[in-house]
Amino acid sequence: MTSMTNQGKLIIVSGPSGAGKTTIIARTLDAFNSIVCAKSATTRKQRHNETSDNYYFLSNEEFNQKIENNDFLEWCIVHNNRYGTLKSEVIDQQNKGQHVLLEIDVQGTKKIQKTFPDCIKIFIAPPSIEILKQRLLERNTDSIESIEGRIEEAKRELASIDEYDYIIENINLDDSTNQLNHYLMEKLK
Ligand code: 5GP
Protein backbone atom coordinates (compact mmCIF):
# COMPACT_ATOMS: atom_id res chain seq x y z
CA MET A 1 0.00 0.00 0.00
CA THR A 2 1.35 3.43 -0.84
CA SER A 3 1.15 6.07 1.83
CA MET A 4 -0.06 9.52 0.86
CA THR A 5 2.08 12.36 2.12
CA ASN A 6 0.62 15.84 2.24
CA GLN A 7 2.29 18.22 -0.17
CA GLY A 8 4.46 20.76 1.69
CA LYS A 9 3.64 24.44 1.36
CA LEU A 10 5.73 27.15 -0.21
CA ILE A 11 6.71 30.08 2.04
CA ILE A 12 8.23 33.19 0.51
CA VAL A 13 10.13 35.70 2.61
CA SER A 14 11.12 38.98 0.94
CA GLY A 15 12.48 42.26 2.15
CA PRO A 16 15.29 44.67 1.43
CA SER A 17 18.79 43.45 2.04
CA GLY A 18 19.85 44.68 5.47
CA ALA A 19 16.32 44.42 6.91
CA GLY A 20 17.37 41.44 9.06
CA LYS A 21 15.71 38.80 6.88
CA THR A 22 18.53 36.24 6.89
CA THR A 23 18.98 36.29 10.68
CA ILE A 24 15.25 35.98 11.35
CA ILE A 25 14.91 33.15 8.83
CA ALA A 26 17.85 31.25 10.36
CA ARG A 27 16.19 31.43 13.79
CA THR A 28 12.82 30.35 12.42
CA LEU A 29 14.36 27.38 10.59
CA ASP A 30 15.90 26.28 13.91
CA ALA A 31 12.42 26.34 15.44
CA PHE A 32 10.63 24.32 12.73
CA ASN A 33 11.78 20.85 11.64
CA SER A 34 9.01 20.87 9.05
CA ILE A 35 10.52 23.77 7.05
CA VAL A 36 13.57 23.60 4.81
CA CYS A 37 15.17 26.54 3.07
CA ALA A 38 15.78 26.33 -0.67
CA LYS A 39 19.34 27.33 -1.57
CA SER A 40 19.31 29.78 -4.49
CA ALA A 41 21.85 30.03 -7.28
CA THR A 42 23.56 33.35 -7.94
CA THR A 43 26.21 34.94 -10.12
CA ARG A 44 27.04 37.37 -7.29
CA LYS A 45 30.53 37.09 -5.80
CA GLN A 46 30.77 35.26 -2.50
CA ARG A 47 31.10 37.65 0.48
CA HIS A 48 33.88 37.12 3.01
CA ASN A 49 31.42 35.88 5.64
CA GLU A 50 29.59 33.45 3.32
CA THR A 51 30.09 29.75 2.54
CA SER A 52 28.67 27.38 -0.07
CA ASP A 53 25.78 26.89 2.39
CA ASN A 54 24.45 30.38 1.52
CA TYR A 55 24.17 30.05 -2.27
CA TYR A 56 25.24 27.99 -5.22
CA PHE A 57 27.80 30.55 -6.43
CA LEU A 58 27.86 30.12 -10.22
CA SER A 59 29.74 31.66 -13.12
CA ASN A 60 27.71 33.40 -15.84
CA GLU A 61 28.23 30.35 -18.07
CA GLU A 62 27.02 27.94 -15.39
CA PHE A 63 23.96 30.10 -14.77
CA ASN A 64 23.21 30.24 -18.53
CA GLN A 65 23.45 26.46 -18.68
CA LYS A 66 20.88 26.08 -15.92
CA ILE A 67 18.51 28.48 -17.73
CA GLU A 68 18.93 26.40 -20.88
CA ASN A 69 18.27 23.16 -18.98
CA ASN A 70 15.06 24.66 -17.60
CA ASP A 71 16.37 24.08 -14.06
CA PHE A 72 14.85 27.24 -12.55
CA LEU A 73 11.38 27.82 -11.12
CA GLU A 74 12.20 31.52 -11.51
CA TRP A 75 15.24 33.71 -11.90
CA CYS A 76 15.72 37.49 -11.79
CA ILE A 77 18.33 40.21 -11.94
CA VAL A 78 18.80 41.82 -8.53
CA HIS A 79 21.50 44.46 -7.86
CA ASN A 80 23.09 43.70 -11.26
CA ASN A 81 23.51 40.00 -10.50
CA ARG A 82 21.35 37.05 -11.38
CA TYR A 83 19.61 34.97 -8.70
CA GLY A 84 17.40 31.96 -9.24
CA THR A 85 15.31 29.34 -7.44
CA LEU A 86 16.19 25.81 -8.52
CA LYS A 87 13.36 23.34 -9.10
CA SER A 88 15.54 20.64 -7.52
CA GLU A 89 15.55 22.58 -4.22
CA VAL A 90 11.77 22.80 -4.05
CA ILE A 91 9.76 20.05 -5.73
CA ASP A 92 11.32 16.94 -4.13
CA GLN A 93 11.12 18.46 -0.66
CA GLN A 94 7.47 19.41 -1.13
CA ASN A 95 6.66 15.92 -2.34
CA LYS A 96 8.19 14.56 0.86
CA GLY A 97 5.79 16.77 2.84
CA GLN A 98 8.39 19.37 3.83
CA HIS A 99 7.44 23.04 3.68
CA VAL A 100 9.93 24.98 1.59
CA LEU A 101 10.99 28.53 2.38
CA LEU A 102 12.28 30.80 -0.39
CA GLU A 103 14.21 33.95 0.46
CA ILE A 104 13.63 35.82 -2.79
CA ASP A 105 12.94 39.34 -4.00
CA VAL A 106 9.69 41.00 -5.07
CA GLN A 107 10.11 40.23 -8.79
CA GLY A 108 10.71 36.52 -8.02
CA THR A 109 7.64 36.47 -5.76
CA LYS A 110 5.46 37.76 -8.60
CA LYS A 111 6.69 34.94 -10.84
CA ILE A 112 6.36 32.20 -8.21
CA GLN A 113 2.81 33.12 -7.25
CA LYS A 114 1.67 32.50 -10.81
CA THR A 115 2.73 28.85 -10.47
CA PHE A 116 1.94 28.52 -6.75
CA PRO A 117 -1.05 30.79 -6.10
CA ASP A 118 -1.46 29.57 -2.52
CA CYS A 119 2.11 30.28 -1.43
CA ILE A 120 2.48 32.14 1.87
CA LYS A 121 4.08 35.56 1.30
CA ILE A 122 5.86 37.37 4.11
CA PHE A 123 7.67 40.71 3.91
CA ILE A 124 10.30 41.83 6.42
CA ALA A 125 10.64 45.61 6.39
CA PRO A 126 13.17 47.89 8.07
CA PRO A 127 11.76 50.54 10.44
CA SER A 128 12.96 53.24 8.00
CA ILE A 129 15.22 53.79 5.00
CA GLU A 130 17.69 55.70 7.22
CA ILE A 131 17.98 52.76 9.61
CA LEU A 132 18.40 50.38 6.67
CA LYS A 133 21.30 52.44 5.34
CA GLN A 134 22.89 52.48 8.78
CA ARG A 135 22.59 48.69 9.07
CA LEU A 136 24.11 48.13 5.62
CA LEU A 137 27.04 50.40 6.50
CA GLU A 138 27.59 48.64 9.83
CA ARG A 139 27.39 45.21 8.16
CA ASN A 140 30.45 46.22 6.15
CA THR A 141 29.95 43.55 3.46
CA ASP A 142 29.17 45.79 0.47
CA SER A 143 30.82 48.75 -1.24
CA ILE A 144 29.31 52.24 -0.94
CA GLU A 145 28.09 52.03 -4.57
CA SER A 146 26.48 48.69 -3.85
CA ILE A 147 24.84 50.11 -0.71
CA GLU A 148 23.45 53.06 -2.67
CA GLY A 149 22.02 50.59 -5.20
CA ARG A 150 20.53 48.46 -2.44
CA ILE A 151 18.81 51.52 -0.93
CA GLU A 152 17.22 52.34 -4.30
CA GLU A 153 16.19 48.69 -4.66
CA ALA A 154 14.75 48.77 -1.13
CA LYS A 155 12.51 51.71 -2.04
CA ARG A 156 11.22 49.78 -5.07
CA GLU A 157 10.65 46.65 -2.96
CA LEU A 158 8.75 48.60 -0.30
CA ALA A 159 6.39 49.84 -3.02
CA SER A 160 5.19 46.22 -3.50
CA ILE A 161 4.58 45.54 0.17
CA ASP A 162 0.77 45.34 -0.28
CA GLU A 163 1.13 42.17 -2.34
CA TYR A 164 2.26 40.25 0.74
CA ASP A 165 0.08 38.36 3.23
CA TYR A 166 2.00 39.32 6.34
CA ILE A 167 4.38 42.20 7.08
CA ILE A 168 6.91 42.29 9.88
CA GLU A 169 8.57 45.57 10.75
CA ASN A 170 11.91 44.49 12.13
CA ILE A 171 12.64 46.76 15.05
CA ASN A 172 13.92 44.00 17.30
CA LEU A 173 15.15 40.58 16.14
CA ASP A 174 13.58 38.61 19.01
CA ASP A 175 10.15 40.19 18.52
CA SER A 176 10.30 39.76 14.74
CA THR A 177 11.30 36.11 15.02
CA ASN A 178 8.44 35.49 17.46
CA GLN A 179 5.99 37.17 15.10
CA LEU A 180 7.16 35.06 12.16
CA ASN A 181 7.05 31.84 14.19
CA HIS A 182 3.54 32.50 15.46
CA TYR A 183 2.27 33.41 12.02
CA LEU A 184 3.74 30.26 10.47
CA MET A 185 2.46 28.09 13.29
CA GLU A 186 -1.08 29.24 12.40
CA LYS A 187 -0.66 29.02 8.63
CA LEU A 188 0.95 25.57 8.66
CA LYS A 189 -1.65 23.94 10.97
P1 5GP B 1 21.98 39.20 -1.37
O1 5GP B 1 22.91 39.55 -2.49
O2 5GP B 1 21.94 40.30 -0.32
O3 5GP B 1 22.26 37.83 -0.79
O4 5GP B 1 20.52 39.10 -1.98
C1 5GP B 1 20.03 40.14 -2.74
C2 5GP B 1 18.55 39.93 -3.03
O5 5GP B 1 18.36 38.80 -3.89
C3 5GP B 1 17.69 39.67 -1.80
O6 5GP B 1 16.56 40.53 -1.89
C4 5GP B 1 17.27 38.24 -1.95
O7 5GP B 1 16.00 38.01 -1.39
C5 5GP B 1 17.24 38.08 -3.46
N1 5GP B 1 17.34 36.68 -3.86
C6 5GP B 1 18.11 35.71 -3.33
N2 5GP B 1 17.92 34.54 -3.96
C7 5GP B 1 16.98 34.77 -4.92
C8 5GP B 1 16.34 33.94 -5.89
O8 5GP B 1 16.59 32.75 -6.01
N3 5GP B 1 15.44 34.54 -6.70
C9 5GP B 1 15.13 35.87 -6.60
N4 5GP B 1 14.22 36.35 -7.43
N5 5GP B 1 15.71 36.67 -5.68
C10 5GP B 1 16.62 36.13 -4.85
Side-chain angles (χ1 to χ4, degrees):
M1 215 171 93
T2 49
S3 70
M4 291 286 286
T5 316
N6 282 333
Q7 185 83 359
K9 293 193 173 140
L10 204 55
I11 305 156
I12 296 182
V13 183
S14 299
S17 95
K21 221 178 8 175
T22 309
T23 311
I24 296 167
I25 290 172
R27 292 179 176 195
T28 294
L29 289 172
D30 279 344
F32 288 84
N33 288 330
S34 57
I35 308 176
V36 289
C37 191
K39 183 159 67 160
S40 293
T42 184
T43 57
R44 170 169 71 62
K45 287 213 175 67
Q46 191 170 336
R47 294 186 184 126
H48 61 78
N49 59 347
E50 286 179 326
T51 67
S52 55
D53 285 346
N54 297 95
Y55 283 105
Y56 294 102
F57 291 99
L58 304 183
S59 65
N60 271 314
E61 293 68 32
E62 289 168 329
F63 203 96
N64 287 341
Q65 191 60 54
K66 295 213 180 291
I67 296 175
E68 240 170 71
N69 295 349
N70 201 18
D71 287 340
F72 288 116
L73 271 185
E74 62 78 36
W75 69 269
C76 292
I77 299 173
V78 191
H79 317 304
N80 302 319
N81 289 302
R82 290 184 290 173
Y83 295 80
T85 309
L86 292 160
K87 287 179 187 167
S88 56
E89 289 282 307
V90 177
I91 313 292
D92 290 354
Q93 297 289 348
Q94 278 192 303
N95 288 342
K96 281 190 228 155
Q98 287 278 338
H99 307 301
V100 181
L101 186 149
L102 308 181
E103 186 183 341
I104 63 174
D105 81 327
V106 167
Q107 311 168 68
T109 305
K110 287 181 183 163
K111 292 182 185 172
I112 292 281
Q113 70 182 3
K114 286 193 187 137
T115 329
F116 299 89
D118 52 3
C119 61
I120 303 165
K121 292 166 289 171
I122 298 152
F123 194 96
I124 299 181
S128 71
I129 289 288
E130 288 69 36
I131 291 176
L132 183 70
K133 190 165 186 181
Q134 199 55 44
R135 285 183 188 166
L136 285 170
L137 287 167
E138 281 165 10
R139 195 165 79 171
N140 202 21
T141 51
D142 299 282
S143 65
I144 291 290
E145 297 75 42
S146 167
I147 290 177
E148 300 285 330
R150 280 164 192 272
I151 294 292
E152 287 315 306
E153 194 73 41
K155 290 180 186 162
R156 278 195 289 277
E157 294 230 306
L158 284 162
S160 294
I161 206 165
D162 289 347
E163 293 177 29
Y164 285 77
D165 303 311
Y166 190 61
I167 295 157
I168 297 171
E169 186 187 344
N170 181 28
I171 297 169
N172 168 290
L173 282 171
D174 287 340
D175 291 346
S176 300
T177 309
N178 282 337
Q179 280 177 46
L180 180 57
N181 290 355
H182 280 119
Y183 180 71
L184 289 175
M185 215 127 58
E186 281 306 307
K187 294 297 279 189
L188 300 176
K189 257 183 194 163

Short mmCIF file of all heavy atoms in Angstrom, two decimals, residues 150-189:
data_model
loop_
_atom_site.label_atom_id
_atom_site.label_comp_id
_atom_site.label_asym_id
_atom_site.label_seq_id
_atom_site.Cartn_x
_atom_site.Cartn_y
_atom_site.Cartn_z
N ARG A 150 21.43 49.24 -3.28
CA ARG A 150 20.53 48.46 -2.44
C ARG A 150 19.45 49.33 -1.80
O ARG A 150 18.32 48.90 -1.60
CB ARG A 150 21.33 47.68 -1.37
CG ARG A 150 21.96 46.43 -1.93
CD ARG A 150 23.06 45.84 -1.08
NE ARG A 150 23.76 44.83 -1.85
CZ ARG A 150 23.42 43.54 -1.92
NH1 ARG A 150 22.40 43.09 -1.21
NH2 ARG A 150 24.09 42.69 -2.66
N ILE A 151 19.80 50.59 -1.50
CA ILE A 151 18.81 51.52 -0.93
C ILE A 151 17.73 51.83 -1.98
O ILE A 151 16.53 51.82 -1.68
CB ILE A 151 19.50 52.83 -0.45
CG1 ILE A 151 20.45 52.54 0.71
CG2 ILE A 151 18.48 53.89 -0.08
CD1 ILE A 151 19.78 52.13 2.00
N GLU A 152 18.18 52.06 -3.22
CA GLU A 152 17.22 52.34 -4.30
C GLU A 152 16.31 51.13 -4.52
O GLU A 152 15.10 51.24 -4.68
CB GLU A 152 17.95 52.71 -5.60
CG GLU A 152 18.58 54.09 -5.58
CD GLU A 152 17.66 55.16 -4.99
OE1 GLU A 152 16.52 55.29 -5.47
OE2 GLU A 152 18.07 55.85 -4.03
N GLU A 153 16.93 49.94 -4.51
CA GLU A 153 16.19 48.69 -4.66
C GLU A 153 15.18 48.52 -3.51
O GLU A 153 14.04 48.10 -3.72
CB GLU A 153 17.19 47.52 -4.65
CG GLU A 153 16.66 46.20 -5.13
CD GLU A 153 16.45 46.14 -6.62
OE1 GLU A 153 17.30 46.66 -7.37
OE2 GLU A 153 15.42 45.57 -7.03
N ALA A 154 15.62 48.90 -2.30
CA ALA A 154 14.75 48.77 -1.13
C ALA A 154 13.49 49.62 -1.30
O ALA A 154 12.38 49.19 -0.97
CB ALA A 154 15.50 49.20 0.13
N LYS A 155 13.67 50.82 -1.84
CA LYS A 155 12.51 51.71 -2.04
C LYS A 155 11.54 51.06 -3.03
O LYS A 155 10.32 51.10 -2.82
CB LYS A 155 12.97 53.08 -2.55
CG LYS A 155 13.71 53.87 -1.48
CD LYS A 155 14.15 55.21 -2.04
CE LYS A 155 15.02 55.97 -1.05
NZ LYS A 155 15.80 57.04 -1.68
N ARG A 156 12.09 50.45 -4.08
CA ARG A 156 11.22 49.78 -5.07
C ARG A 156 10.51 48.59 -4.43
O ARG A 156 9.33 48.36 -4.66
CB ARG A 156 12.06 49.28 -6.26
CG ARG A 156 12.34 50.37 -7.28
CD ARG A 156 12.83 49.77 -8.59
NE ARG A 156 14.17 49.23 -8.47
CZ ARG A 156 15.29 49.95 -8.57
NH1 ARG A 156 15.23 51.25 -8.76
NH2 ARG A 156 16.48 49.38 -8.46
N GLU A 157 11.26 47.83 -3.61
CA GLU A 157 10.65 46.65 -2.96
C GLU A 157 9.52 47.08 -2.02
O GLU A 157 8.46 46.46 -2.00
CB GLU A 157 11.71 45.88 -2.17
CG GLU A 157 12.77 45.26 -3.05
CD GLU A 157 13.01 43.80 -2.74
OE1 GLU A 157 13.27 43.48 -1.58
OE2 GLU A 157 12.92 42.98 -3.68
N LEU A 158 9.76 48.15 -1.27
CA LEU A 158 8.75 48.60 -0.30
C LEU A 158 7.47 49.03 -1.00
O LEU A 158 6.39 48.96 -0.44
CB LEU A 158 9.31 49.75 0.56
CG LEU A 158 10.30 49.28 1.64
CD1 LEU A 158 11.14 50.44 2.17
CD2 LEU A 158 9.55 48.61 2.81
N ALA A 159 7.59 49.43 -2.26
CA ALA A 159 6.39 49.84 -3.02
C ALA A 159 5.49 48.64 -3.34
O ALA A 159 4.32 48.83 -3.69
CB ALA A 159 6.83 50.53 -4.31
N SER A 160 6.01 47.41 -3.20
CA SER A 160 5.19 46.22 -3.50
C SER A 160 4.70 45.51 -2.24
O SER A 160 4.19 44.39 -2.29
CB SER A 160 6.02 45.21 -4.30
OG SER A 160 6.33 45.73 -5.56
N ILE A 161 4.86 46.18 -1.12
CA ILE A 161 4.58 45.54 0.17
C ILE A 161 3.13 45.03 0.29
O ILE A 161 2.86 44.02 0.92
CB ILE A 161 4.96 46.53 1.31
CG1 ILE A 161 5.31 45.78 2.58
CG2 ILE A 161 3.92 47.59 1.52
CD1 ILE A 161 6.03 46.65 3.61
N ASP A 162 2.19 45.71 -0.38
CA ASP A 162 0.77 45.34 -0.28
C ASP A 162 0.46 43.98 -0.90
O ASP A 162 -0.60 43.42 -0.66
CB ASP A 162 -0.11 46.39 -0.97
CG ASP A 162 -0.15 47.67 -0.18
OD1 ASP A 162 0.30 47.64 0.99
OD2 ASP A 162 -0.60 48.69 -0.73
N GLU A 163 1.38 43.47 -1.71
CA GLU A 163 1.13 42.17 -2.34
C GLU A 163 1.41 41.00 -1.40
O GLU A 163 1.20 39.85 -1.74
CB GLU A 163 2.01 42.03 -3.60
CG GLU A 163 1.57 43.00 -4.68
CD GLU A 163 2.46 42.96 -5.90
OE1 GLU A 163 3.04 41.90 -6.19
OE2 GLU A 163 2.57 44.02 -6.54
N TYR A 164 1.89 41.31 -0.21
CA TYR A 164 2.26 40.25 0.74
C TYR A 164 1.14 39.98 1.74
O TYR A 164 0.31 40.84 2.00
CB TYR A 164 3.58 40.63 1.44
CG TYR A 164 4.76 40.44 0.50
CD1 TYR A 164 5.02 41.37 -0.50
CD2 TYR A 164 5.54 39.31 0.54
CE1 TYR A 164 6.06 41.18 -1.41
CE2 TYR A 164 6.58 39.10 -0.36
CZ TYR A 164 6.83 40.04 -1.33
OH TYR A 164 7.84 39.83 -2.22
N ASP A 165 1.14 38.75 2.29
CA ASP A 165 0.08 38.36 3.23
C ASP A 165 0.36 38.87 4.63
O ASP A 165 -0.55 39.10 5.42
CB ASP A 165 0.01 36.82 3.31
CG ASP A 165 -0.22 36.18 1.97
OD1 ASP A 165 -1.13 36.64 1.26
OD2 ASP A 165 0.53 35.25 1.61
N TYR A 166 1.65 38.98 4.96
CA TYR A 166 2.00 39.32 6.34
C TYR A 166 3.26 40.17 6.33
O TYR A 166 4.24 39.83 5.65
CB TYR A 166 2.22 38.04 7.14
CG TYR A 166 2.38 38.24 8.62
CD1 TYR A 166 1.35 38.80 9.38
CD2 TYR A 166 3.55 37.87 9.28
CE1 TYR A 166 1.49 38.98 10.75
CE2 TYR A 166 3.69 38.04 10.66
CZ TYR A 166 2.65 38.60 11.38
OH TYR A 166 2.79 38.78 12.74
N ILE A 167 3.24 41.28 7.07
CA ILE A 167 4.38 42.20 7.08
C ILE A 167 4.95 42.30 8.50
O ILE A 167 4.20 42.47 9.46
CB ILE A 167 3.94 43.60 6.58
CG1 ILE A 167 3.51 43.48 5.11
CG2 ILE A 167 5.07 44.62 6.71
CD1 ILE A 167 2.58 44.56 4.66
N ILE A 168 6.25 42.15 8.58
CA ILE A 168 6.91 42.29 9.88
C ILE A 168 7.84 43.50 9.80
O ILE A 168 8.70 43.56 8.91
CB ILE A 168 7.75 41.02 10.21
CG1 ILE A 168 6.82 39.81 10.34
CG2 ILE A 168 8.58 41.22 11.48
CD1 ILE A 168 7.55 38.48 10.46
N GLU A 169 7.65 44.44 10.70
CA GLU A 169 8.57 45.57 10.75
C GLU A 169 9.66 45.20 11.75
O GLU A 169 9.39 45.06 12.95
CB GLU A 169 7.81 46.84 11.19
CG GLU A 169 8.69 48.07 11.13
CD GLU A 169 8.01 49.29 11.73
OE1 GLU A 169 6.78 49.27 11.92
OE2 GLU A 169 8.74 50.25 12.02
N ASN A 170 10.85 45.00 11.25
CA ASN A 170 11.91 44.49 12.13
C ASN A 170 12.59 45.58 12.93
O ASN A 170 13.58 46.17 12.51
CB ASN A 170 12.95 43.71 11.31
CG ASN A 170 14.04 43.15 12.21
OD1 ASN A 170 13.81 42.89 13.39
ND2 ASN A 170 15.23 43.00 11.67
N ILE A 171 12.02 45.80 14.13
CA ILE A 171 12.64 46.76 15.05
C ILE A 171 13.59 46.01 15.96
O ILE A 171 14.69 46.44 16.25
CB ILE A 171 11.55 47.48 15.88
CG1 ILE A 171 10.64 48.27 14.93
CG2 ILE A 171 12.15 48.38 16.95
CD1 ILE A 171 9.38 48.80 15.55
N ASN A 172 13.15 44.80 16.34
CA ASN A 172 13.92 44.00 17.30
C ASN A 172 13.89 42.55 16.82
O ASN A 172 12.83 42.01 16.53
CB ASN A 172 13.21 44.19 18.66
CG ASN A 172 13.68 43.22 19.69
OD1 ASN A 172 13.40 42.03 19.62
ND2 ASN A 172 14.39 43.73 20.65
N LEU A 173 15.07 41.92 16.73
CA LEU A 173 15.15 40.58 16.14
C LEU A 173 14.33 39.54 16.89
O LEU A 173 13.70 38.68 16.28
CB LEU A 173 16.62 40.12 16.08
CG LEU A 173 17.47 40.72 14.96
CD1 LEU A 173 18.93 40.35 15.14
CD2 LEU A 173 16.98 40.25 13.58
N ASP A 174 14.34 39.60 18.23
CA ASP A 174 13.58 38.61 19.01
C ASP A 174 12.08 38.74 18.74
O ASP A 174 11.39 37.74 18.50
CB ASP A 174 13.82 38.80 20.52
CG ASP A 174 15.22 38.34 20.91
OD1 ASP A 174 15.82 37.57 20.14
OD2 ASP A 174 15.70 38.77 21.98
N ASP A 175 11.58 39.98 18.76
CA ASP A 175 10.15 40.19 18.52
C ASP A 175 9.77 39.76 17.10
O ASP A 175 8.74 39.12 16.89
CB ASP A 175 9.78 41.68 18.67
CG ASP A 175 9.89 42.13 20.11
OD1 ASP A 175 9.98 41.24 20.99
OD2 ASP A 175 9.89 43.35 20.34
N SER A 176 10.62 40.09 16.13
CA SER A 176 10.30 39.76 14.74
C SER A 176 10.30 38.25 14.53
O SER A 176 9.43 37.72 13.84
CB SER A 176 11.34 40.40 13.80
OG SER A 176 11.31 41.78 13.97
N THR A 177 11.25 37.56 15.15
CA THR A 177 11.30 36.11 15.02
C THR A 177 10.05 35.49 15.64
O THR A 177 9.43 34.59 15.07
CB THR A 177 12.57 35.53 15.69
OG1 THR A 177 13.70 36.24 15.21
CG2 THR A 177 12.72 34.05 15.40
N ASN A 178 9.65 36.00 16.81
CA ASN A 178 8.44 35.49 17.46
C ASN A 178 7.21 35.70 16.59
O ASN A 178 6.37 34.82 16.46
CB ASN A 178 8.21 36.18 18.81
CG ASN A 178 9.11 35.60 19.87
OD1 ASN A 178 9.58 34.46 19.74
ND2 ASN A 178 9.39 36.38 20.90
N GLN A 179 7.14 36.88 15.98
CA GLN A 179 5.99 37.17 15.10
C GLN A 179 5.94 36.19 13.93
O GLN A 179 4.90 35.64 13.59
CB GLN A 179 6.10 38.57 14.52
CG GLN A 179 5.68 39.67 15.45
CD GLN A 179 5.92 41.03 14.78
OE1 GLN A 179 5.58 41.24 13.63
NE2 GLN A 179 6.51 41.94 15.50
N LEU A 180 7.11 35.97 13.31
CA LEU A 180 7.16 35.06 12.16
C LEU A 180 6.79 33.64 12.60
O LEU A 180 5.99 32.96 11.94
CB LEU A 180 8.56 35.10 11.53
CG LEU A 180 8.77 34.21 10.32
CD1 LEU A 180 7.77 34.52 9.20
CD2 LEU A 180 10.19 34.36 9.77
N ASN A 181 7.34 33.20 13.73
CA ASN A 181 7.05 31.84 14.19
C ASN A 181 5.57 31.65 14.50
O ASN A 181 4.97 30.63 14.13
CB ASN A 181 7.89 31.51 15.43
CG ASN A 181 9.36 31.37 15.10
OD1 ASN A 181 9.74 31.43 13.92
ND2 ASN A 181 10.20 31.20 16.10
N HIS A 182 4.96 32.63 15.14
CA HIS A 182 3.54 32.50 15.46
C HIS A 182 2.69 32.48 14.19
O HIS A 182 1.76 31.69 14.06
CB HIS A 182 3.07 33.65 16.38
CG HIS A 182 3.45 33.40 17.80
ND1 HIS A 182 4.27 34.21 18.51
CD2 HIS A 182 3.13 32.37 18.62
CE1 HIS A 182 4.46 33.71 19.72
NE2 HIS A 182 3.77 32.59 19.82
N TYR A 183 3.04 33.35 13.28
CA TYR A 183 2.27 33.41 12.02
C TYR A 183 2.36 32.07 11.29
O TYR A 183 1.34 31.52 10.85
CB TYR A 183 2.80 34.54 11.15
CG TYR A 183 2.07 34.67 9.83
CD1 TYR A 183 0.76 35.14 9.80
CD2 TYR A 183 2.67 34.32 8.63
CE1 TYR A 183 0.07 35.26 8.60
CE2 TYR A 183 2.00 34.42 7.43
CZ TYR A 183 0.69 34.90 7.42
OH TYR A 183 0.02 35.00 6.23
N LEU A 184 3.58 31.53 11.19
CA LEU A 184 3.74 30.26 10.47
C LEU A 184 3.06 29.11 11.19
O LEU A 184 2.49 28.22 10.55
CB LEU A 184 5.24 29.96 10.25
CG LEU A 184 5.93 30.87 9.22
CD1 LEU A 184 7.42 30.57 9.15
CD2 LEU A 184 5.29 30.69 7.83
N MET A 185 3.11 29.14 12.51
CA MET A 185 2.46 28.09 13.29
C MET A 185 0.98 28.01 12.91
O MET A 185 0.43 26.94 12.73
CB MET A 185 2.60 28.38 14.78
CG MET A 185 2.77 27.16 15.63
SD MET A 185 4.21 27.25 16.69
CE MET A 185 3.92 28.70 17.64
N GLU A 186 0.34 29.18 12.80
CA GLU A 186 -1.08 29.24 12.40
C GLU A 186 -1.28 28.79 10.97
O GLU A 186 -2.17 27.98 10.68
CB GLU A 186 -1.57 30.69 12.54
CG GLU A 186 -1.91 31.12 13.95
CD GLU A 186 -2.90 30.19 14.60
OE1 GLU A 186 -3.97 29.95 14.00
OE2 GLU A 186 -2.62 29.68 15.71
N LYS A 187 -0.47 29.29 10.06
CA LYS A 187 -0.66 29.02 8.63
C LYS A 187 -0.35 27.57 8.26
O LYS A 187 -0.89 27.06 7.27
CB LYS A 187 0.24 29.95 7.78
CG LYS A 187 -0.07 31.39 7.84
CD LYS A 187 -1.45 31.73 7.31
CE LYS A 187 -1.48 31.82 5.80
NZ LYS A 187 -2.79 32.37 5.34
N LEU A 188 0.52 26.92 9.02
CA LEU A 188 0.95 25.57 8.66
C LEU A 188 0.16 24.49 9.40
O LEU A 188 0.45 23.31 9.27
CB LEU A 188 2.46 25.39 8.92
CG LEU A 188 3.38 26.34 8.13
CD1 LEU A 188 4.83 26.15 8.54
CD2 LEU A 188 3.23 26.13 6.62
N LYS A 189 -0.83 24.88 10.19
CA LYS A 189 -1.65 23.94 10.97
C LYS A 189 -2.31 22.92 10.05
O LYS A 189 -2.76 23.29 8.97
CB LYS A 189 -2.74 24.70 11.70
CG LYS A 189 -2.44 24.87 13.17
CD LYS A 189 -3.60 25.57 13.86
CE LYS A 189 -3.20 26.08 15.23
NZ LYS A 189 -4.15 27.08 15.72
#
